[in-house]
């Protein structure tokens, strides 16, 4: 059984291990390597996907929105182990594309991990985790509209990455940053669509 993830670099390393042995890496393979009780790392995974060059794939925002909603709703109802349908678990990406995204994210991940530490923990424990789940529902519902405004999905990805990291390292400051990032992205979308 895998040890719980402690930071972003460990998540990237664990996903990178999958690219060594497989030409295609499915979400099911990633979930198995991360652990099916790991809501934080899964939010980080979605955030990384949307923040990386993979976000340029048409329809990625809509697909990831369904993933976010499934995870967030299960967090809200208090499930200890999450469930995902096979159509999500069977989705995969080529090894080369995934490795390119992982390489692109490696250096920033090391810098981010050095800055993280437990603080404002009331924002990530007990009631705070329900607040994070509720925010994820809002982000998931807004993501299909982000297909209309360039780069707004990357902002949502950054917000989800921050929320996932907050759950993993118990850093409530990241929750506040995620709210600010998503608020700015939401405002940007409203201004550009009206």
């Amino acid at each position: 059984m895998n040890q719980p993830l402690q930071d972003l670099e460990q998540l990237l390393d664990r996903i990178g291990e999958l690219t060594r042995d497989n030409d295609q890496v499915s979400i099911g393979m990633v979930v198995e390597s991360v652990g099916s009780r790991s809501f934080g790392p899964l939010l980080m995974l979605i955030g990384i996907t949307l923040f990386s060059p993979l976000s340029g794939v048409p329809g990625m925002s809509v697909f990831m929105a369904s993933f976010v909603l499934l995870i967030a709703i299960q967090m809200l109802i208090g499930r200890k182990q999450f469930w995902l349908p096979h159509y999500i678990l069977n989705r995969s990406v080529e090894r080369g594309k995934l490795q390119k995204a992982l390489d692109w994210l490696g250096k920033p991940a090391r810098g981010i991990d050095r800055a993280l530490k437990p603080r404002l923990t009331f924002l990530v424990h007990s009631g705070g985790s329900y607040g994070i789940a509720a925010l994820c529902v809002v982000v998931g519902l807004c993501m299909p509209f982000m297909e209309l405004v360039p780069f707004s999905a990357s902002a949502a990805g950054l917000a989800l990455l921050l929320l996932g990291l907050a759950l993993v390292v118990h850093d409530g400051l990241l929750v506040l940053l995620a709210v600010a990032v998503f608020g700015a992205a939401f405002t940007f979308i409203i201004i550009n669509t009206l």
Side-chain angles (χ1 to χ4, degrees), residues 60-72:
M60 184 63 80
S61 292
V62 174
F63 173 71
M64 286 295 162
S66 64
F67 201 179
V68 169
L69 289 171
L70 277 170
I71 292 170

Side-chain angles (χ1 to χ4, degrees), residues 18 25-34 84 88-91:
L18 296 173
V25 177
S26 70
I27 290 177
M29 294 164 66
V30 173
V31 167
E32 186 177 322
S33 76
V34 170
L84 293 172
I88 289 179
L89 293 173
N90 292 334
R91 296 284 296 222

Side-chain angles (χ1 to χ4, degrees), residues 12-191:
L12 296 178
D13 288 345
R14 202 167 287 177
I15 296 169
E17 290 172 10
L18 296 173
T19 64
R20 291 186 200 116
D21 301 326
N22 304 287
D23 292 331
Q24 295 277 328
V25 177
S26 70
I27 290 177
M29 294 164 66
V30 173
V31 167
E32 186 177 322
S33 76
V34 170
S36 60
R37 296 175 188 263
S38 306
F39 291 98
L42 277 177
L43 289 176
M44 287 169 41
L45 173 65
I46 295 167
I48 288 169
T49 302
L50 290 171
F51 194 64
S52 76
L54 292 174
S55 67
V57 175
M60 184 63 80
S61 292
V62 174
F63 173 71
M64 286 295 162
S66 64
F67 201 179
V68 169
L69 289 171
L70 277 170
I71 292 170
I73 289 170
Q74 290 180 65
M75 284 175 67
L76 281 173
I77 62 174
R79 285 185 60 111
K80 300 295 182 207
Q81 186 169 351
F82 63 87
W83 169 87
L84 293 172
H86 289 290
Y87 81 89
I88 289 179
L89 293 173
N90 292 334
R91 296 284 296 222
S92 63
V93 66
E94 292 176 14
R95 172 188 8 199
K97 288 182 181 178
L98 182 58
Q99 191 58 55
K100 182 179 177 182
L102 293 172
D103 292 343
W104 183 78
L105 291 164
K107 188 174 180 180
R110 285 186 290 281
I112 290 168
D113 287 343
R114 282 193 295 271
L116 301 179
K117 62 183 177 184
R119 56 189 152 196
L120 302 173
T121 56
F122 67 93
L123 291 172
V124 294
H125 292 296
S126 302
S129 64
Y130 289 108
I132 290 172
L135 181 59
C136 288
V137 169
V138 172
V139 171
L141 291 173
C142 292
M143 283 172 60
F145 301 104
M146 293 179 173
E147 291 273 338
L148 306 173
V149 180
F151 304 110
S152 60
S154 293
L158 179 58
L160 292 168
L161 175 57
L162 291 170
L163 292 171
L165 276 170
L167 289 170
V168 170
V169 299
H170 310 290
D171 191 343
L173 182 60
L174 294 177
V175 175
L176 299 177
L177 288 172
V179 170
V181 166
F182 181 69
F186 185 75
T187 302
F188 183 73
I189 292 167
I190 296 296
I191 290 170

